[in-house]
């Protein structure tokens, strides 16, 4: 099993888009693999992509908040999507308030890492909110690999360093199996991706281009065109 968490302190850099289409790319490259997506962001765009036709009641009943509060086991909230090998544990906007109330639970972060590893999936992909909060810590601490999307903004290094620090702190308490972190250039033109390359960061070789077609696919809950899904497949190959 490999657990990949997508994190950035900036919103709108393509975290959710990466969480969605990287999973789809993995499903295409490895058709036998079982994939779980977990939405740890109260903005719940990942949930909306996969469960836009499901009722609020079903989503609330299966939401990650139910696990975090101890009301349900992870196994009982695995929700099928319209894609055969992809399941999701959804989130609702209530997650944020639930998480604030859980600061007393000192064991939660390490328990989550352990419980995820007991599930029968080949890949788990976790989407996180753009803020230093419990949900971000849960996602990062559970990961084998943190992918951090970086767009073309002068704040990108600072934002990345904050995420890197969370990874470093988490690794201090992990005995074995350290968490790796990889910055990924997202929503950039070829020219700007070259400019980002001048920064002192070891980016993934693959970058996700800025594309109206990617934007409209993700906003409408649709799959990508073959051409665009190729970028995510390249990234999937790179991190396998
Ligand atoms: N590669 C891309 N090129 C252009 N627009 C994109 C791309 N990926 C995502 N978008 C647009 O940007 C918005 C924010 O992307 P999203 O993945 O939701 O970011 P985040 O999760 O980091 O907030 C999406 O609604 C989509 O319309
Ligand atoms: Mg998002």
């Amino acid at each position: 099993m490999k657990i990949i968490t997508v994190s950035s302190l900036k919103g709108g850099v393509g975290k959710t888009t990466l969480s969605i289409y990287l999973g789809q790319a993995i499903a295409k490259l490895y058709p036998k693999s079982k994939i779980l997506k977990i939405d740890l962001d109260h903005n719940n765009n990942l949930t909306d992509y996969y469960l836009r036709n499901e009722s609020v009641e079903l989503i609330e009943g299966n939401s990650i908040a139910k696990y975090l509060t101890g009301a349900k086991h992870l196994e009982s909230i695995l929700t099928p999507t319209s894609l055969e090998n992809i399941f999701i544990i959804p989130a609702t906007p209530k997650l944020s308030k639930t998480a604030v109330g859980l600061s007393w639970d000192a064991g939660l972060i390490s328990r989550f890492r352990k419980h995820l590893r007991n599930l029968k999936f080949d890949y788990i992909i976790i989407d996180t909110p753009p803020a230093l909060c419990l949900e971000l810590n849960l996602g990062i601490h559970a990961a084998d690999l943190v992918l951090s999307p970086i767009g073309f903004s002068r704040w990108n290094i600072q934002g990345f360093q904050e995420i890197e620090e969370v990874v470093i702190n988490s690794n201090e308490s992990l005995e074995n199996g350290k968490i790796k972190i990889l910055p990924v250039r997202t929503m950039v033109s070829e020219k700007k991706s070259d400019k980002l390359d001048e920064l002192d960061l070891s980016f993934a070789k693959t970058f996700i281009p800025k594309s109206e077609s990617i934007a409209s696919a993700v906003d409408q809950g649709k799959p990508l065109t073959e051409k665009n899904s190729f970028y995510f497949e390249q990234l999937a190959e790179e991190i396998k």
Side-chain angles (χ1 to χ4, degrees):
M1 172 194 284
K2 189 170 178 113
I3 303 182
I4 301 164
T5 296
V6 182
S7 298
S8 152
L9 281 195
K10 288 192 71 70
V13 290
K15 287 183 294 299
T16 303
T17 306
L18 186 57
S19 308
I20 293 167
Y21 296 120
L22 179 66
Q24 252 93 305
I26 290 171
K28 187 169 164 199
L29 290 174
Y30 317 108
K32 288 204 180 112
S33 59
K34 237 181 115 188
I35 301 161
L36 173 64
K37 307 281 181 92
I38 302 180
D39 199 348
L40 276 175
D41 184 358
H42 64 272
N43 285 303
N44 72 347
N45 295 328
L46 182 73
T47 298
D48 242 8
Y49 179 90
Y50 286 106
L51 303 181
R52 58 182 60 203
N53 298 318
E54 298 292 346
S55 69
V56 173
E57 289 73 27
L58 175 123
I59 294 171
E60 235 158 34
N62 279 4
S63 79
I64 188 68
K66 295 283 179 211
Y67 162 79
L68 297 174
T69 56
K72 291 190 177 174
H73 292 293
L74 286 174
E75 287 83 352
S76 70
I77 55 174
L78 303 171
T79 312
T81 70
S82 62
L83 301 171
E84 205 185 335
N85 343 343
I86 300 187
F87 289 71
I88 183 169
I89 298 180
T92 74
K94 288 184 183 168
L95 173 61
S96 183
K97 194 166 161 193
T98 304
V100 169
L102 285 168
S103 55
W104 57 271
D105 189 349
L108 182 58
I109 290 175
S110 54
R111 226 159 54 230
F112 184 56
R113 181 177 171 92
K114 191 177 91 189
H115 287 166
L116 286 184
R117 275 150 218 277
N118 291 337
L119 295 175
K120 302 225 163 358
F121 282 92
D122 301 296
Y123 287 89
I124 298 180
I125 299 178
I126 305 176
D127 193 14
T128 56
L132 292 170
C133 57
L134 174 70
E135 302 91 299
L136 181 76
N137 271 315
L138 282 163
I140 288 183
H141 192 78
D144 297 303
L145 173 67
V146 174
L147 292 179
S148 192
I150 293 189
F152 195 78
S153 132
R154 62 179 170 148
W155 300 114
N156 49 46
I157 291 229
Q158 251 183 39
F160 176 74
Q161 283 170 339
E162 294 282 338
I163 296 291
E164 202 175 27
E165 209 173 299
V166 178
V167 171
I168 291 167
N169 290 342
S170 256
N171 274 335
E172 274 196 30
S173 67
L174 287 175
E175 300 277 305
N176 40 33
K178 297 288 182 193
I179 304 160
K180 296 197 183 83
I181 178 163
L182 182 65
V184 182
R185 296 161 293 167
T186 52
M187 292 160 77
V188 286
S189 63
E190 186 125 5
K191 211 162 131 203
K192 287 190 168 161
S193 85
D194 286 345
K195 264 245 164 299
L196 279 176
D197 249 352
E198 291 164 12
L199 299 175
D200 195 18
L201 291 178
S202 310
F203 286 110
K205 282 201 234 43
T206 309
F207 73 91
I208 309 298
K210 195 175 180 83
S211 140
E212 273 311 310
S213 152
I214 297 180
S216 74
V218 73
D219 293 340
Q220 293 171 39
K222 298 213 166 111
L224 291 178
T225 60
E226 196 128 323
K227 178 174 157 246
N228 283 328
S229 79
F230 179 70
Y231 295 102
F232 294 88
E233 285 159 37
Q234 253 186 334
L235 183 62
E237 283 278 5
E238 203 181 327
I239 62 173
K240 73 168 184 248

